[in-house]
Amino acid sequence: MTENDPHTRQLLVLPDRDAAEEAAETLAAELPGLDQPEIVRDALAGEDDAEDAQWLVVLDPPADGWTPALLHTLDTLAATHEGWRETA
């Protein structure tokens, strides 16, 4: 799978748990056709301090795949919470 594959899992990388939970709630409300997002803590390599963790909102692709409009929505939501989107 590549970044351009419309069936690739998407990750919103966010700075803290509150931002991840808020983003997941927003997604559930605005895009009810998506599966429930999974929230995962991702400790940075080599870091033991809990403050050095990122939080991921993991999103499986819709049945028809990600459209440019949906990806733009994810990018905007991530940026609103001082984060970014990556593919898994």
Side-chain angles (χ1 to χ4, degrees), residues 15 41 44 47-54:
R41 182 179 178 270
L44 299 175
E47 297 293 337
D48 294 327
D49 188 349
E51 298 211 8
D52 291 328
Q54 297 171 326

Side-chain angles (χ1 to χ4, degrees), residues 1-10 60-68 71:
M1 289 187 200
T2 67
E3 186 173 328
N4 295 324
D5 183 343
H7 299 289
T8 301
R9 187 178 263 186
Q10 300 294 314
D60 289 321
D64 295 336
W66 297 107
T67 64
L71 293 176

Side-chain angles (χ1 to χ4, degrees), residues 23-78:
E25 288 174 12
T26 300
L27 285 167
E30 292 183 8
L31 303 171
L34 293 180
D35 289 342
Q36 181 66 32
E38 179 182 1
I39 299 173
V40 179
R41 182 179 178 270
D42 183 38
L44 299 175
E47 297 293 337
D48 294 327
D49 188 349
E51 298 211 8
D52 291 328
Q54 297 171 326
W55 287 82
L56 307 177
V57 178
V58 182
L59 299 156
D60 289 321
D64 295 336
W66 297 107
T67 64
L70 283 174
L71 293 176
H72 178 73
T73 298
L74 298 180
D75 289 336
T76 301
L77 183 61

